[in-house]
Amino acid sequence: FSFLIGSALLERLLNELVGGGGRAGLLLKDLIAHKEVERRLGACAVAWLSALFSPSSLNLRNLIWHGFLAPRELEQRHAASLLRLLSRAAAALGAARRAEAALWRPPAPCWDPKEADASLGGACGLLDAAPTFPPPPADGCCLLCLTSPMCRVGHAESVRRGLSAYRRRDFATFACLVLPALEAGLRGSFVLANPAEASLGAAHVGAYFSTLDGWGQRSKHQLLLAPHLHSDGSPNRLLAWLGDGMHALLLDLFLHAAGPGLRAKFAHGEAALLP
């Protein structure tokens, strides 16, 4: 489970390292190829970054955050390698901040709700009030989630720990643990609803994944919530199974241009990970 949060934190640290204290806004694959990262961390660390996270190599961050790989399937050596890279990046960023203290500024908020378009503008007033959340789920909710077909093999422990974090009002940990399980469940349901797309239920080297988000690259791969199949343009039958209300909610949370883009914000280290 630490690999989920650790990989997000690593991308955030590398972005701050490249951006001179602020976020450079680069993806992990671009950070790995960045000359400033190699200058700060060294060629050996970059080789490890490439081996663990490059799309042409193990690609572990994308596999685990998109729900293809359950946390328990990761080997301890991968987590240990990530920890060493985090320590190296943190040390390099600390040295850079000490050398450029006068230039460093805290990173800007990842999303300002007041920038929402008119369709969301009516809800902005609610955000100015004291934040409220639904009450923590009872044990019955946990049992319902764990026995649902949406909870794919290998993700039950993530869901259980996520619901436990929700009870503690640790919403960041809840999101990090449950979002990959949600995407894995939606992908499994997508394949069941569209049997001809069975190959999209797994990740393939050299091919784009079927994903919950990624609207900017929708012409290159299948979005699970898209109205049509990328392969032949026929209707995506998953949407009828979800229903209009659930489909709209998922679009708002993960794909809407003016929405929070929850999965991406946590996976790429843009959202605060503190409870």
Side-chain angles (χ1 to χ4, degrees):
F1 304 103
S2 59
F3 201 94
L4 279 165
I5 295 176
S7 59
L9 179 58
L10 178 64
E11 184 168 347
R12 186 184 187 110
L13 289 175
L14 294 179
N15 260 301
E16 293 190 14
L17 192 63
V18 169
R23 283 189 54 81
L26 299 177
L27 297 177
L28 187 55
K29 65 176 183 176
D30 299 317
L31 291 165
I32 293 172
H34 203 286
K35 291 182 179 180
E36 184 67 11
V37 171
E38 182 173 2
R39 187 177 76 85
R40 299 279 191 178
L41 302 187
C44 182
V46 170
W48 274 102
L49 283 169
S50 181
L52 290 174
F53 302 114
S54 173
S56 60
S57 189
L58 292 177
N59 203 12
L60 291 179
R61 199 283 305 276
N62 283 336
L63 288 175
I64 192 169
W65 267 102
H66 283 293
F68 288 103
L69 193 65
R72 66 179 180 85
E73 295 177 292
L74 280 171
E75 297 184 23
Q76 288 186 350
R77 57 179 176 163
H78 296 145
S81 299
L82 173 59
L83 181 59
R84 296 194 66 176
L85 288 169
L86 275 171
S87 299
R88 182 74 186 91
L93 182 59
R97 283 180 173 177
R98 288 190 294 272
E100 304 167 1
L103 301 177
W104 184 81
R105 297 292 184 276
C110 63
W111 182 65
D112 183 355
K114 294 181 175 59
E115 295 176 357
D117 64 15
S119 65
L120 295 179
C124 287
L126 299 176
L127 299 170
D128 295 328
T132 58
F133 294 91
D139 290 340
C141 177
C142 185
L143 180 62
L144 177 64
C145 291
L146 295 177
T147 56
S148 167
M150 279 283 290
C151 188
R152 310 299 292 178
V153 174
H155 289 277
E157 183 64 11
S158 297
V159 174
R160 187 188 67 78
R161 292 195 180 194
L163 291 173
S164 177
Y166 189 96
R167 293 189 189 99
R168 302 192 305 271
R169 306 188 73 80
D170 181 357
F171 302 115
T173 299
F174 165 75
C176 289
L177 291 174
V178 171
L179 287 174
L182 172 63
E183 182 165 346
L186 286 171
R187 185 177 295 109
S189 300
F190 170 88
V191 169
L192 288 175
N194 303 282
E197 305 296 310
S199 63
L200 296 181
H204 303 278
V205 177
Y208 282 95
F209 300 160
S210 57
T211 59
L212 175 59
D213 50 18
W215 179 256
Q217 295 183 314
R218 61 191 181 281
S219 63
K220 300 179 180 179
H221 69 106
Q222 178 68 54
L223 294 178
L224 298 175
L225 300 175
H228 300 98
L229 300 183
H230 184 262
S231 59
D232 59 12
S234 60
N236 178 3
R237 289 191 287 271
L238 173 64
L239 306 193
W241 179 78
L242 287 173
D244 292 342
M246 181 58 66
H247 181 225
L249 175 61
L250 291 170
L251 289 177
D252 283 350
L253 290 176
F254 301 110
L255 278 171
H256 197 293
L262 278 181
R263 193 212 65 87
K265 288 295 189 295
F266 280 103
H268 294 297
E270 296 180 46
L273 299 177
L274 296 176

